[in-house]
Amino acid sequence: MAVKQGKRTGKAGRMAGVGLTAALLAAGLALPAAAHAQGAGPVAPAAVTPDASVWRIDTPGVGDASVAVPADVSTVGGTSVTVGYIRPAGTKGWAPLAAHYANGRWVPDTVPVPGGSAVARLHQVQVTGAGQAWAAGYVSADGTDRPWVTRWDGRAWTTVDTSALPSGILYGLSGTANDLWAVGAADDGALVAHWDGRAWTRVKLPVAPDGSAWDVGWYSAVAAAAADDVWVVGPENTSAHWDGRAWTRVAVPLGGDGASVWLENVRASRTQGTWAVGYVVGQEREAIALRWTGRAWERVPLPAGSAARQLDDVAFTAAGPVAVGARNEPSAPIGEAGYAVRLPARPGQPASPVTLPSGTEHLWGASTGEFGIGLRVVGTAQNPELSSTLPFTAWSPWIPAS
């Protein structure tokens, strides 16, 4: 029995249809000459605000793909890798997107697909060392979705055996090369898997006293800060923690009038703490950012008037944590739906919006820049003719404030 994508309305489910209702790029956008020389993709603003000019658009090329979504980016030291998926021109399937950063540009990688499946997507990537990265997603053949993990050694991507895992889809990945965690969905509920350096095994989380599962069918993301500090989050107020001995369900602050909270991502840093981001369910989504105090999740106020509808990732930069996602402002100019906010490094400090380059439709992932310098963002834009959803990646040496 295949895991149905339709039951998953969170990040990965929405990403499959990205671009249908998204903002457009303003007409007349052109690549800088340097970007053309480097073979970058087709998205870059011709004019941006002074603060936003610190951004360098460095989008990788994707050929004639009608849809291209960089879903995540990870940086450790001098190694940066982005992954996602594309829809090759003239097809209805999905192919993996992967690129590594070298010599000032993104270098596209070829990722072998198990069995040559016509449906293969990568949702998240974890750089585990210099020239080393892992990525997780799924492949689908004969109507059955299978978890897919692939590993990069600095030269090539190689599929890692996941045959011990049930049918399903992986959405999140975090950890080290010998202690890696992945989460997603399986036919019989949420899927949590662990890599011990030799093999993947499924990890079953406890059930509630009444025998019900803690989850609603999947987990969105995982953050493994250490062997005894692992978080998983998901939809409908789902949050659980592993302390090296046992799993504990952790309460999530509800939205106004008890509205449900859907958490899209969780990230942990030894110096900047543990953060979870997502949105409050409602007629109009409301972005939410949570900080772990050591005892409970604490909701952090976002800037007034931001109209952020959801947050999808958190990057830990030298200037503090930065969350990215999308906003929904009817009065905003076309192509201005991308959103980023600098979160307070300490309790009591205010959050502040980050100025982005023009043309961002949705930011799906973020990380620090190489060697801890600046901020990297990845996401999507769209061409003026609505005929294709284009990749969008950019880097800034510092965090430009609005």
Side-chain angles (χ1 to χ4, degrees):
M1 179 179 176
V3 176
K4 301 299 184 183
Q5 287 262 48
K7 76 176 183 180
R8 202 300 194 193
T9 57
K11 175 179 178 180
R14 290 193 311 277
M15 288 165 68
V18 66
L20 296 179
T21 59
L24 305 179
L25 283 174
L29 299 187
L31 277 173
H36 280 296
Q38 294 171 358
V43 183
V48 293
T49 63
D51 284 343
S53 66
V54 301
W55 287 96
R56 175 186 174 184
I57 311 300
D58 55 8
T59 304
V62 293
D64 58 357
S66 60
V67 177
V69 181
D72 192 33
V73 61
S74 178
T75 300
V76 172
T79 300
S80 287
V81 178
T82 184
V83 301
Y85 46 91
I86 66 173
R87 172 157 285 164
T91 75
K92 295 183 179 180
W94 295 104
L97 181 158
H100 65 278
Y101 203 73
N103 300 320
R105 67 185 184 95
W106 287 109
V107 179
D109 295 326
T110 298
V111 185
V113 175
S117 173
V119 176
R121 293 170 34 147
L122 294 173
H123 293 141
Q124 196 152 50
V125 61
Q126 174 72 66
V127 172
T128 55
Q132 304 287 324
W134 295 65
Y138 79 102
V139 295
S140 183
D142 301 325
T144 300
D145 299 326
R146 291 290 310 171
W148 181 30
V149 175
T150 182
R151 177 170 54 191
W152 184 65
D153 64 3
R155 295 173 298 176
W157 288 89
T158 305
T159 294
V160 179
D161 181 23
T162 56
S163 59
L165 302 181
S167 299
I169 299 172
L170 295 177
Y171 299 122
L173 183 74
S174 180
T176 65
N178 296 312
D179 186 15
L180 201 61
W181 293 81
V183 298
D187 290 335
D188 57 353
L191 175 58
V192 179
H194 180 249
W195 169 262
D196 62 5
R198 296 174 298 175
W200 283 99
T201 56
R202 186 177 189 179
V203 177
K204 294 289 286 185
L205 270 62
V207 297
D210 62 1
S212 62
W214 288 355
D215 59 87
V216 295
W218 70 88
Y219 291 113
S220 304
V222 56
D228 59 354
D229 186 11
V230 180
W231 287 90
V232 296
V233 300
E236 296 191 13
N237 318 311
T238 299
S239 166
H241 182 253
W242 169 255
D243 64 5
R245 295 173 298 175
W247 286 96
T248 303
R249 185 170 186 175
V250 181
V252 172
L254 301 181
D257 297 325
S260 176
V261 171
W262 288 48
L263 295 176
E264 299 283 36
N265 220 327
V266 59
R267 300 287 190 180
S269 164
R270 287 296 189 186
T271 58
Q272 298 187 33
T274 300
W275 293 80
V277 295
Y279 60 93
V280 178
V281 176
Q283 186 173 2
E284 293 186 3
R285 291 178 182 173
E286 176 188 2
I288 189 170
L290 304 177
R291 171 173 42 206
W292 178 247
T293 67
R295 295 186 178 182
W297 287 114
E298 173 186 70
R299 185 169 183 178
V300 175
L302 297 177
S306 67
R309 60 182 173 160
Q310 68 188 66
L311 295 173
D312 292 280
D313 202 359
V314 176
F316 296 113
T317 75
V322 176
V324 301
R327 58 181 178 168
N328 183 19
E329 290 181 290
S331 61
I334 289 175
E336 301 299 325
Y339 180 78
V341 59
R342 181 174 171 179
L343 300 172
R346 296 180 180 85
Q349 294 180 330
S352 58
V354 173
T355 301
L356 295 174
S358 300
T360 56
E361 171 192 341
H362 198 130
L363 296 180
W364 293 108
S367 76
T368 181
E370 288 72 36
F371 304 106
I373 300 172
L375 173 68
R376 281 203 171 280
V377 295
V378 301
T380 50
Q382 197 161 33
N383 70 2
E385 293 77 25
L386 273 175
S387 59
S388 60
T389 297
L390 305 171
F392 183 93
T393 67
W395 171 78
S396 175
W398 63 84
I399 314 302
S402 294

